[in-house]
Amino acid sequence: MADRSTCLLLVIAPRLLFKFSSLQQLIDQGEFYSFAGCARIYSIKEGGRILEFIYSSKQFKTKGGITVGTATTHYYASEEFKIKQRETKSYICSPEEVISSGDYKQSTYCHLLLGLYFNDQVEFIASTFAFSIVQSFRSFEESWKDICNDIRDGTLSSKITIPSVRKAVLDIISVPNPSLAKRVISKCVELEEMDWFGLIPKLWPNAKYVYSIMTGSMQHYLTKLRHYAGDLPLVSGDYGSTESWIGVNVDPCCPPEKVSFAVVPTFSYFEFIPLNRSENEDGKSAIDDFIEGDPVPLSNVKIGKQYEIVLTTFTGLYRYRLGDVVEVVGFHRNTPKLNFICRRKLILTVNIDKNTENDLQLVVEKGSKILRKARAELVDFTSHAEVVKNPGHYIIYWEIKGEVEERILEECCREMDASFVDHGYVVSRRSNSIGPLELCIVEKGTFKKIMENFIANGAALSQFKTPRCTSNQVLLRILNLCTIKRFHSTAYGP
Ligand code: AMP
């Protein structure tokens, strides 16, 4: 069986996709399922627009002549993407030049500008992952005056330097629209007073919902997304990967925290490796924190059990381990419905302790509740298990917005340390074989630097996910250089 790292060698590029039209069709099919569900429930107007924050990265050719790029990059460059817009009669606000500009700051500015230009036609707001919507509106808080000037005068800010993007955008907005600019300015002045609460319905009055993947590592952005969306419904997107689309959210009205995904059996051939946390009884090997059973087909999974997904795809991957842990929560007709639990390898561990991405998410949520009470906001976070010095300990890096007293941050640190319930961690903390949890506060913009580092190394913003646990030396260097305050937990004694 192959995992993501072995497939790296087999298919030339890791988590990048080689151009196979069947995959494009499958993504397209997946998008159609979700679009159809949402359109039915929220009655989308034909001929309307979608403000979609799309960023495709560069495609390149291998020596053998195969086009390589991320899944979304292929999809947005494909004929199917255009066909989908025509058939659903819903059009993206931004032209192709903006989507594929290769400069995320310029693309974001233009997405927002064009979204506002077409504001009363926008039927919904979307992105692949929720992170992109949140980061776009954060940047809007800073760039709205320039955007309004451009709408008023029919011009384009000098920040947009790519000639093809300038031409494509100016072709659309070159007629000055002072009355629209005036309306947007007065709304933004009001919104600024309210810390931008309800920005989306206020600026896009006909938007019916916000659509994006909001589960897994995206759950952290839900609070901010809800803040921007006010009372608009948040529809959590489907479950898929570059390697294969997997399942669809068949209940778009379900709150993102409760969403599960019905596997579409025709997307790939699916197998599931049973994962048990119990002690090893029959000589099978424990990998990470789980005891693995033999893979079972789709029809043999059991409700309440956790599995790792294995794919055999039309594009040539054979028994490929996706590395995602899912739980079967029911069936939709005869196909299983999955809850996404976590990425399997993302684990904080020093010795006998094991905490997954999901455990960390819960702990950080508890700590950030204290932050919210102090009227501050957790912008983003990641973690690292420091094992160089003895005893090892966990470090959690936080970027926050707002002024917070040190005693509050000390409390957050203590609360997070005390909230890890993994038995190995608790025992190790009590015996001091794991040292006090360290909370590092990083300066504003640190996570942007991390994202830019990924993009500079070929990742597409549309598919970017902040790693929730890292031992990557480049990232750790950025994080440590940007740390401005450190706190050590006193949860298990001074
Ligand atoms: P990529 O192929 O880089 O776009 O990433 C695919 C990975 O993103 C999957 O293997 C999951 O770990 C994660 N992912 C995709 N869709 C979802 C979802 N709906 N909920 C949670 N995680 C997801």
Side-chain angles (χ1 to χ4, degrees), residues 450-464:
I450 289 178
M451 178 189 79
E452 284 167 356
N453 183 275
F454 273 86
I455 292 173
N457 285 304
L461 181 60
S462 280
Q463 286 175 243
F464 175 73

Side-chain angles (χ1 to χ4, degrees), residues 438-450:
E438 185 177 349
L439 171 62
C440 292
I441 307 299
V442 296
E443 64 193 24
K444 189 173 169 227
T446 302
F447 280 85
K448 222 178 199 176
K449 280 190 195 153
I450 289 178

Side-chain angles (χ1 to χ4, degrees), residues 4 15 213 215 238-240 242 261 324 340 343 463 465:
R4 275 184 165 159
R15 326 271 346 271
I213 291 175
T215 37
D238 298 333
Y239 175 27
T242 297
F261 307 97
D324 286 350
F340 179 89
R343 293 278 312 141
Q463 286 175 243
K465 304 156 206 81

Side-chain angles (χ1 to χ4, degrees), residues 272-292:
F272 295 83
I273 300 175
L275 302 173
N276 298 303
R277 283 190 186 251
S278 56
E279 286 305 310
N280 191 342
E281 285 159 10
D282 49 4
K284 297 210 169 136
S285 61
I287 298 179
D288 308 336
D289 47 340
F290 297 110
I291 311 292
E292 298 188 353

Side-chain angles (χ1 to χ4, degrees), residues 255-267:
E257 290 86 350
K258 296 200 174 138
V259 158
S260 59
F261 307 97
V263 179
V264 179
T266 48
F267 283 164

